[in-house]
Amino acid sequence: MVLKEKKREVYALGKHIPMSADKARRVIDQIRGRSFEDTLMILELMPYRASYPILKLVYSVAANANYTTDSSESNFFFISKAEVNEGTTVKKFKPRARGRSYPRKRHTCHITIVLKDKFLDDFALSDNLLKKSRWKKNSIAIADSDLNNRRDLWDKK
């Protein structure tokens, strides 16, 4: 019987959210690296307009995590990565006096939130520590050869 390996990361994307990327980053910077429960509390109490779409995305990520990991406990999830990228900019013209018009830009952004399970993340780290590192001997040899080559360059006049 082969056990299926659980996914370590679950993510959700919010595309074309009608707000500036800078305004969304102000909220995302507050929740990055926090636990799921802390994130919900912070987003519900923040007075910014950007917190509502981000709160919806966090709920969506939690639903994705519960579905993919087959667990209903959200206590062990934390936000490992949260990023905001600029989306498309809709350019419109606002009519002004005497037949003139001024351009208006409506900015959008794309938000990505990645959730990880603490126990699966710790388990993966302990597996990596048990493996022997193969790169150590090669990197020391390369560093020594670089030092020897540099001495030859400085000795010449």
Side-chain angles (χ1 to χ4, degrees):
M1 181 174 152
V2 177
L3 293 174
K4 183 179 177 184
E5 184 179 336
K6 290 186 178 180
K7 284 190 173 183
R8 294 184 184 148
E9 291 184 344
V10 182
Y11 69 95
L13 295 172
K15 291 194 169 191
H16 304 290
I17 296 174
M19 74 180 60
S20 164
D22 293 330
K23 292 177 184 174
R25 276 190 200 110
R26 178 171 55 183
V27 177
I28 286 287
D29 289 339
Q30 299 297 321
I31 65 168
R32 189 177 291 122
R34 298 199 186 242
S35 68
F36 176 71
E37 292 177 348
D38 290 344
T39 301
L40 293 181
M41 186 174 19
I42 288 170
L43 288 176
E44 288 174 358
L45 296 175
M46 282 188 107
Y48 300 121
R49 188 177 71 107
S51 61
Y52 181 69
I54 294 172
L55 182 67
K56 285 174 64 175
L57 265 176
V58 169
Y59 277 128
S60 175
V61 173
N64 292 346
N66 288 338
Y67 179 76
T68 57
T69 59
D70 298 330
S71 68
S72 61
E73 295 189 23
S74 59
N75 300 336
F76 307 118
F77 294 126
F78 72 100
I79 296 180
S80 64
K81 186 168 106 173
E83 61 183 20
V84 180
N85 298 321
E86 290 184 7
T88 58
T89 301
V90 179
K91 296 174 184 174
K92 295 182 177 182
F93 289 100
K94 183 169 183 166
R96 302 300 290 205
R98 298 187 179 186
R100 297 186 179 120
S101 63
Y102 287 135
R104 285 179 42 208
K105 293 182 179 178
R106 297 287 306 208
H107 297 283
T108 61
C109 64
H110 306 311
I111 301 174
T112 306
I113 297 179
V114 179
L115 214 64
K116 273 190 179 179
D117 193 356
K118 286 183 184 177
F119 290 125
L120 290 177
D121 196 39
D122 292 340
F123 182 71
L125 287 175
S126 64
D127 283 349
N128 289 337
L129 291 176
L130 295 175
K131 294 179 182 176
K132 288 185 178 179
S133 60
R134 298 177 185 171
W135 57 271
K136 198 168 189 179
K137 291 180 182 177
N138 294 338
S139 64
I140 293 172
I142 291 171
D144 290 339
S145 67
D146 286 343
L147 288 175
N148 293 334
N149 292 339
R150 288 184 185 157
R151 287 184 194 143
D152 294 340
L153 288 175
W154 289 107
D155 291 339
K156 295 178 183 177
K157 289 187 178 180

